[in-house]
Amino acid sequence: ATLNDSFLADLDELSDNEDEILASDDDNVDKMEEYVDGDLADIEALNYDDLDSISKLQKTPRFTDIMKRVEDALEKGSATASTDIVLEDDPEYQLIVDCNALSVDIENEIVIIHNFIRDKYRPKFPELESLVHHPIDYARVVQKIGNEMDLTLVDLEGLLPSAIIMVVSVTASTTSGKPLPEEVLLKTVDACDRALALDSAKKKVLDFVEGRMGYIAPNLSSIVGSAVAAKLMGTAGGLSALAKMPACNVQLLGAKKKALAGFSTATSQFRVGYLEQTEIFQGTPPSLRMRACRLLASKSTLAARVDSCRGDQTGKAGRSFRAEILKKIEKWQEPPPAKQPKPLPVPDSEPKKKRGGRRLRKMKERYAITDMQKLANRMLFGVPEDSSLGDGLGEGYGMLGQAGSGKLRVTARQSKLGVKVAKKFKEKQFGSSGATSGLTSSLAFTPVQGIELSNPQANQLGGGTQSTYFSEIGTFSKIKKN
């Protein structure tokens, strides 16, 4: 095949691939349109303008039944402990478990209503949601303001702190919002009333649970408090489930992942849940809070296991656990012991045992203080000493020259080491070296006669083996035989 034929074949293959790609794209577009149409149908079916279609918890029979039972239990008063009934079969315990689950549903419902209120009230005051973050506070402020444009006529005392009230008033004077229509305002106020009603129901449920925690879990309540104990039980699914849970998981109950938006995570506590709300955790220094949280989780697990088997209804075990936790945290905060001064070793009173001998005697003679040094170190009372520069300047001579001679030199007896060194020096200076080379001379220079003839080997011939066996005058000894 030529080059033109191969080029045309490549073009045909490319055209076939384009047809397949276009066909697959058409199929994807059809599927996408079907998917979007289905989602839009679901979104259109959900009417966000109707609050009843979003918030349905208050109209459920479960909510009504639990709230009625809670109100009846609050009217009766506190229950008495009964060790004969199994904990799971106790109706009071079952009501507490239902209340814990209901409190979680109420919190989620309040969040949904809060989003509805924000969406409806945003055209009136768009900056308010960034100033007031709590859902219940936001609902109270919206209910109080309504359609009023001048906030100086609205009294917000008791709803918000004074600093936030001032910021809200200043922001409302420069806002770009417009009054809401009457229909939208009525829906917004109705949503606010519903959120406040749910909040009051939640407080009533929590009060009931906290009041009964001393009966259901006295030891756990002694450590973390009634409110935190109720939250732990509600999240875990009951006291029995909490008792079967390991301590590392109890520590994470209620923990939420925080989005810090680029801020540092050094001071954030990610792995702490409801135990962060306890009095012990808040009273611990920040550097020791994670250790305290682990200790709290472990002791809370032990207390929950004691309560699940009805081991101690008086709460004595929980109080002992709490005292142990506080004692350990106090021990962690103690400063390290001060460094004790190290005493000096006892001085050696006995003389040191040094090896004696010729070497030691030579060292003592070499470093011994001479008589001249002794005189230089002494001074006469009332007599000025001579010095090297005069008038007391320079090195002082002490008692040197004080005897009246005017000389600084003192005749000292020569040591044994000095005598031996002088003898060797004299032999080297006046005697022959004893070498047998051709430069050896028989002439010697003496201080008595000057130049004299001497035998270099005279000392050697006078003694030793030559004087006996190889002497010129020596003869063989004769031994008489008997």
Side-chain angles (χ1 to χ4, degrees):
T2 60
L3 183 61
N4 294 333
D5 295 338
S6 61
F7 183 69
L8 292 174
D10 293 338
L11 288 178
D12 293 337
E13 291 179 1
L14 288 175
S15 62
D16 295 338
N17 292 334
E18 287 178 359
D19 295 337
E20 294 176 0
I21 292 172
L22 290 175
S24 62
D25 290 341
D26 293 338
D27 295 338
N28 293 333
V29 170
D30 294 337
K31 292 179 182 178
M32 185 66 70
E33 289 178 355
E34 292 176 1
Y35 181 72
V36 171
D37 291 340
D39 285 350
L40 289 176
D42 295 338
I43 293 173
E44 289 175 357
L46 184 60
N47 188 7
Y48 280 101
D49 292 335
D50 187 9
L51 184 60
D52 294 334
S53 62
I54 300 174
S55 175
K56 301 178 181 179
L57 179 64
Q58 288 176 298
K59 296 182 179 180
T60 58
R62 170 173 167 265
F63 178 83
T64 307
D65 180 50
I66 293 177
M67 292 305 301
K68 184 179 179 180
R69 292 164 58 190
V70 167
E71 291 174 359
D72 294 341
L74 290 176
E75 290 177 359
K76 291 181 181 179
S78 60
T80 56
S82 177
T83 57
D84 299 334
I85 305 175
V86 182
L87 187 61
E88 284 76 6
D89 298 337
D90 193 350
E92 195 85 9
Y93 172 73
Q94 295 296 332
L95 180 57
I96 289 177
V97 174
D98 295 339
C99 289
N100 288 327
L102 182 62
S103 63
V104 176
D105 296 338
I106 290 176
E107 289 181 359
N108 298 332
E109 195 76 10
I110 289 175
V111 172
I112 294 174
I113 297 176
H114 174 60
N115 294 332
F116 179 83
I117 297 172
R118 284 190 311 173
D119 294 339
K120 296 300 180 185
Y121 203 72
R122 188 175 290 125
K124 166 68 174 61
F125 197 171
E127 296 87 3
L128 183 61
E129 59 183 286
S130 62
L131 301 176
V132 182
H133 301 283
H134 196 273
I136 302 302
D137 293 340
Y138 185 82
R140 288 173 180 169
V141 172
V142 170
Q143 189 181 32
K144 192 76 173 179
I145 295 176
N147 246 354
E148 185 65 44
M149 298 301 296
D150 189 6
L151 288 190
T152 57
L153 304 176
V154 180
D155 186 16
L156 298 177
E157 290 293 336
L159 301 179
L160 297 174
S162 57
I164 299 180
I165 291 175
M166 184 181 299
V167 174
V168 170
S169 301
V170 173
T171 308
S173 61
T174 60
T175 184
S176 60
K178 298 178 181 180
L180 296 176
E182 191 66 24
E183 182 183 358
V184 178
L185 181 62
L186 289 176
K187 291 181 180 180
T188 306
V189 174
D190 185 22
C192 294
D193 294 337
R194 191 171 297 188
L196 295 178
L198 285 173
D199 184 60
S200 63
K202 177 185 174 184
K203 288 182 179 179
K204 191 178 295 185
V205 168
L206 290 180
D207 291 340
F208 165 74
V209 173
E210 291 177 11
R212 296 302 188 272
M213 286 306 296
Y215 158 65
I216 298 296
N219 298 287
L220 181 62
S221 302
S222 300
I223 298 177
V224 298
S226 300
V228 178
K231 292 179 181 179
L232 291 175
M233 281 181 53
T235 308
L239 186 59
S240 300
L242 182 63
K244 297 175 183 178
M245 190 176 294
C248 57
N249 293 348
V250 173
Q251 180 182 345
L252 300 178
L253 289 178
K256 296 180 180 179
K257 188 175 182 181
K258 301 177 183 178
L260 298 180
F263 290 96
S264 175
T265 60
T267 58
S268 62
Q269 302 286 350
F270 283 109
R271 303 185 64 83
V272 178
Y274 291 130
L275 295 179
E276 186 180 4
Q277 304 173 11
T278 58
E279 181 184 354
I280 297 177
F281 186 89
Q282 296 297 330
T284 306
S287 59
L288 301 174
R289 283 184 177 177
M290 288 305 299
R291 295 179 64 184
C293 184
R294 288 192 290 268
L295 185 60
L296 271 172
S298 61
K299 298 301 181 182
S300 300
T301 305
L302 294 178
R305 292 169 184 172
V306 173
D307 292 331
S308 64
C309 63
R310 298 291 183 93
D312 185 9
Q313 289 294 320
T314 61
K316 183 178 179 182
R319 289 191 292 271
S320 64
F321 286 153
R322 181 183 177 88
E324 184 179 351
I325 293 171
L326 294 176
K327 185 178 180 181
K328 284 188 177 182
I329 294 176
E330 185 178 357
K331 184 69 176 178
W332 295 342
Q333 301 180 48
E334 290 182 0
K339 188 177 181 181
Q340 298 294 333
K342 187 178 181 180
L344 295 175
V346 179
D348 297 334
S349 58
E350 299 179 359
K352 295 182 180 180
K353 296 181 180 179
K354 292 186 178 180
R355 179 177 176 274
R358 178 183 177 188
R359 184 180 301 175
L360 183 62
R361 289 194 300 270
K362 284 186 178 181
M363 184 187 69
K364 286 184 177 180
E365 289 180 3
R366 187 177 295 111
Y367 295 103
I369 300 178
T370 61
D371 296 337
M372 184 175 179
Q373 290 175 347
K374 291 180 181 180
L375 290 176
N377 292 335
R378 295 177 182 175
M379 291 182 63
L380 290 176
F381 180 75
V383 179
E385 65 173 353
D386 295 335
S387 58
S388 59
L389 299 179
D391 296 334
L393 302 176
E395 185 180 357
Y397 296 144
M399 292 183 62
L400 290 177
Q402 296 292 336
S405 60
K407 295 181 181 180
L408 296 180
R409 188 177 300 277
V410 176
T411 57
R413 55 187 178 84
Q414 200 170 8
S415 62
K416 296 180 180 179
L417 184 62
V419 171
K420 187 174 292 186
V421 171
K423 183 177 180 182
K424 288 184 178 180
F425 178 77
K426 184 177 180 181
E427 290 180 356
K428 288 183 179 181
Q429 183 177 5
F430 300 113
S432 176
S433 59
T436 57
S437 63
L439 300 178
T440 303
S441 174
S442 299
L443 299 177
F445 297 89
T446 61
V448 181
Q449 297 181 358
I451 300 175
E452 65 178 9
L453 189 63
S454 63
N455 185 7
Q457 299 179 355
N459 295 332
Q460 300 179 2
L461 295 176
T465 56
Q466 291 185 359
S467 60
T468 55
Y469 295 102
F470 301 101
S471 176
E472 296 178 356
I473 58 176
T475 58
F476 290 100
S477 59
K478 297 179 180 181
I479 301 174
K480 297 181 181 181
K481 297 180 180 180
N482 295 330

